[in-house]
Amino acid sequence: MNIEIWSDVVCPWCYIGKRRLEHALGEFEHAEEVTIAWRSFQLNPDTPPGTAVPTAAYLAQRFGPQASQMTGRVAELARGEGLDFDFDAALTVNTLDAHRLLHLAADLGVGDAAKERLLRAHFTEGADLSDPRTLVRLAGEAGVGTGRAGEVLAGTEYADAVRADIELAQAFGATGVPFFVIDRKYGISGAQPAETFLQALRTAYADEAEDRGAAAPR
């Protein structure tokens, strides 16, 4: 069973959704048969590369005075999942380079570790994910060779893969993230409760087992 997850490393609901899916997998009887593929999506593609804007100011400009209440509610929900969000320290950036590094990490077999490291760096540590030196350091901490990470960031490698992910999300009709697709058959939008993910996993597995049984020679 393969789960593809479209998300962005500056998306709070993506981090919450990741934790909830992990909780569901902890209860899923066939979790050892599940693979996860992280797909790229950019919430702020028009943000100039190499710039970092304080997220609190960015959200206040977009949503007005209620922005602080919004982030407070999200941070409270995150705490319920064991996550520590610091919106006052977070920086809004263009995440193209971060996604390019995530594709590199996936090719090296450490995609999930890299995804987790970038999310924690953004939401808990206030790291600037538009800064190449920061990205190289974080990639190294996740198991990606820093030399190779630097080579990727110095060029345009994996940019096509990022764009292909975004185009595929649009083809699936996804207008926001997180967006989960199980075996290219079942789609789940948003950071649903762990129970919803668990039910979807069990349904998908049962349907696949039924399909295998129907296809077996008699």
Side-chain angles (χ1 to χ4, degrees), residues 125-206:
E125 301 168 7
D128 180 358
L129 299 188
S130 70
D131 177 57
R133 291 170 299 179
T134 298
L135 288 173
V136 167
R137 173 178 61 81
L138 295 171
E141 292 173 8
V144 178
T146 55
R148 181 72 178 105
E151 288 176 2
V152 168
L153 291 178
T156 60
E157 197 172 351
Y158 293 107
D160 288 345
V162 173
R163 286 190 288 269
D165 280 352
I166 294 171
E167 290 171 1
L168 186 54
Q170 293 169 345
F172 282 148
T175 57
V177 287
F179 183 62
F180 305 79
V181 177
I182 304 175
D183 289 337
R184 293 287 173 102
K185 295 180 180 179
Y186 310 90
I188 305 170
S189 296
Q192 299 294 330
E195 294 79 8
T196 300
F197 284 121
L198 181 58
Q199 181 179 0
L201 290 167
R202 287 173 171 165
T203 297
Y205 190 87

Side-chain angles (χ1 to χ4, degrees), residues 24-137:
L25 287 169
E27 299 293 327
F28 183 47
E29 300 81 357
H30 308 283
E32 71 281 357
E33 300 177 42
V34 175
T35 60
I36 292 177
W38 292 102
R39 302 296 185 198
S40 304
F41 194 95
Q42 286 192 270
L43 289 181
N44 310 299
D46 296 328
T47 301
T51 64
V53 177
T55 295
Y58 172 80
L59 293 176
Q61 184 177 16
R62 285 193 62 188
F63 300 108
Q66 68 267 31
S68 61
Q69 293 179 342
M70 292 168 52
T71 55
R73 287 193 296 269
V74 174
E76 184 176 356
L77 286 171
R79 280 193 294 273
E81 304 298 334
L83 300 172
D84 181 17
F85 281 11
D86 185 353
F87 283 103
D88 289 333
L91 298 168
T92 294
V93 299
N94 186 302
T95 55
L96 174 60
D97 283 345
H99 284 297
R100 293 198 296 122
L101 274 188
L102 289 173
H103 274 277
L104 169 63
D107 281 352
L108 297 175
V110 292
D112 194 71
K115 185 74 172 185
E116 178 70 24
R117 187 64 190 96
L118 293 185
L119 285 166
R120 179 161 58 88
H122 173 75
F123 284 104
T124 302
E125 301 168 7
D128 180 358
L129 299 188
S130 70
D131 177 57
R133 291 170 299 179
T134 298
L135 288 173
V136 167
R137 173 178 61 81

Side-chain angles (χ1 to χ4, degrees), residues 13 15-25 77-78 81 190-195 197-198:
W13 293 108
Y15 204 1
I16 292 171
K18 181 177 186 293
R19 274 297 180 274
R20 289 177 175 176
L21 174 63
E22 289 166 351
H23 294 325
L25 287 169
L77 286 171
E81 304 298 334
Q192 299 294 330
E195 294 79 8
F197 284 121
L198 181 58

